[in-house]
Amino acid sequence: MSMNEARMTAILAAYGAEPVRWPAAERESALAWLAAHGAGAAHVEARALDAALQLDGRAAPASDALTARVLQAIPGAGATVLPFAAAAGARSWNAGAIAALAACAVMGVVIGFNASGFSDDTTADADAAFGAALGVIVDRGDPESDG
Amino acid sequence: MTALARRMLSDATEAEDVAQEVFLRVWRTAPKWREGQAKFETWMHRVALNLCYDRLRRRREKTDPDAGLLVADSAPGAADRIVAREQAALVHRALDALPERQRAAIVLCHFQDMTNIDAAASLDVSVEALESLLSRGRRALKASLADTARDLMDGP
């Protein structure tokens, strides 16, 4: 879709003023359009609303109580699989990996897992890690599997 | 997941219950999930949103998320903290007042930083429909938060 004032206004109205939230396919052309035409009223209004929303302040991490509840719910796993670093260093890591990754997924903890096949905390890597961990769940008979 | 549920439900305890339930469902149903069918993140968000929708439907009376928020505070910086709490409470109320789907779209795209494609998949709608939800939601928020937004742009 080519960029024009109407589409730029629609993007700002839906996604706000931060380019990182804009549709990836249109981000470059939208930035070019803004550079050429300048930020108008729609951009200023979007920025103001973005700023107001940042006052929400509810990005609280999971409480210790939730962490404990989640870990207790893991069959065959418990406090011994944590800290996550211990799981990351284990050769036979599937129980620790499952516990760590599932708990991370639920509690919003950044993946800090460096077993083979996993690298860092990007969304793509996290998704691959979840997939691999779930593959281990499916194939629990193979303790040496490392994704 | 906890932050998403807190914004959807405005209740920290219920949000943690939802987060735990998401975990249990993921644990139980993981063998049915196949890579390529849906991104894991998208699938988890969909599970979480459906649990939130269920709770919102079951709720017989609306709770006040800000009850007890404004308490006496005489410590240094108290005035700033009170202003910050009041502003946060305004945002909470504005978000709570949105229809569920609009609120979910805003939470996913603005607060959870999901892409439009992933957010649409989580909500099980097209990208165009997501964009409509976002636009309507932000328009309503703009009306609710006009004064706050104007103050922020004007500066201290």
Side-chain angles (χ1 to χ4, degrees):
Chain A
M1 181 183 293
S2 62
M3 194 53 55
N4 54 41
E5 185 173 4
R7 181 58 191 153
M8 189 72 243
T9 302
I11 287 174
L12 292 167
Y15 300 100
E18 288 295 330
V20 71
R21 295 195 177 100
W22 297 349
E26 297 177 285
R27 192 175 300 137
E28 198 174 323
S29 57
L31 283 169
W33 192 93
L34 270 184
H37 296 85
H43 191 265
V44 173
E45 285 180 8
R47 232 169 9 113
L49 181 55
D50 287 347
L53 289 176
Q54 288 314 113
L55 298 172
D56 171 85
R58 282 184 288 188
S63 69
D64 290 346
L66 174 61
T67 304
R69 279 157 60 191
V70 165
L71 291 175
Q72 282 171 1
I74 300 171
T80 54
V81 301
L82 294 180
F84 298 152
R91 166 128 180 90
S92 178
W93 57 268
N94 56 350
I98 293 163
L101 289 170
C104 284
V106 171
M107 295 182 285
V109 178
V110 170
I111 302 276
F113 195 79
N114 290 315
S116 173
F118 303 100
S119 56
D120 214 327
D121 57 356
T122 65
T123 300
D125 283 348
D127 208 53
F130 292 136
L134 291 174
V136 175
I137 293 174
V138 175
D139 185 19
R140 298 184 73 174
D142 179 10
E144 296 304 309
S145 169
D146 62 2
Chain B
M1 285 305 140
T2 312
L4 178 149
R6 281 190 73 167
R7 291 194 171 98
M8 288 302 295
L9 300 170
S10 281
D11 184 296
T13 303
E14 277 201 280
E16 295 216 335
D17 288 346
V18 165
Q20 183 182 18
E21 183 62 23
V22 169
F23 167 77
L24 291 173
R25 290 204 182 186
V26 167
W27 183 265
R28 288 180 194 134
T29 60
K32 296 176 188 167
W33 182 80
R34 292 289 180 273
E35 208 167 352
Q37 283 181 345
K39 287 176 72 176
F40 187 79
E41 183 192 14
T42 304
W43 179 56
M44 279 194 65
H45 278 88
R46 192 181 297 174
V47 171
L49 283 172
N50 285 336
L51 288 169
C52 289
Y53 292 151
D54 287 345
R55 282 174 180 262
L56 288 169
R57 268 194 293 271
R58 286 203 301 265
R59 229 177 239 179
R60 294 209 170 103
E61 56 184 24
K62 188 167 169 34
T63 55
D64 179 5
D66 306 310
L69 203 59
L70 300 176
V71 295
D73 188 348
S74 58
D80 288 345
R81 281 198 299 277
I82 289 170
V83 169
R85 286 174 189 170
E86 287 175 343
Q87 288 176 328
L90 275 174
V91 177
H92 298 176
R93 280 196 292 272
L95 280 167
D96 290 350
L98 292 178
E100 286 173 19
R101 304 281 281 175
Q102 291 178 24
R103 192 186 330 156
I106 299 273
V107 169
L108 292 178
C109 289
H110 189 91
F111 295 106
Q112 301 291 111
D113 292 330
M114 290 187 91
T115 67
N116 60 335
I117 293 168
D118 288 346
S122 293
L123 289 167
D124 203 18
V125 298
S126 67
V127 169
E128 291 75 17
L130 170 81
E131 208 164 292
S132 173
L133 288 169
L134 286 170
S135 296
R136 284 181 283 145
R138 285 182 64 95
R139 197 180 313 135
L141 288 172
K142 193 169 84 176
S144 302
L145 300 170
D147 291 343
T148 305
R150 199 164 32 243
D151 289 347
L152 286 169
M153 294 309 288
D154 289 346

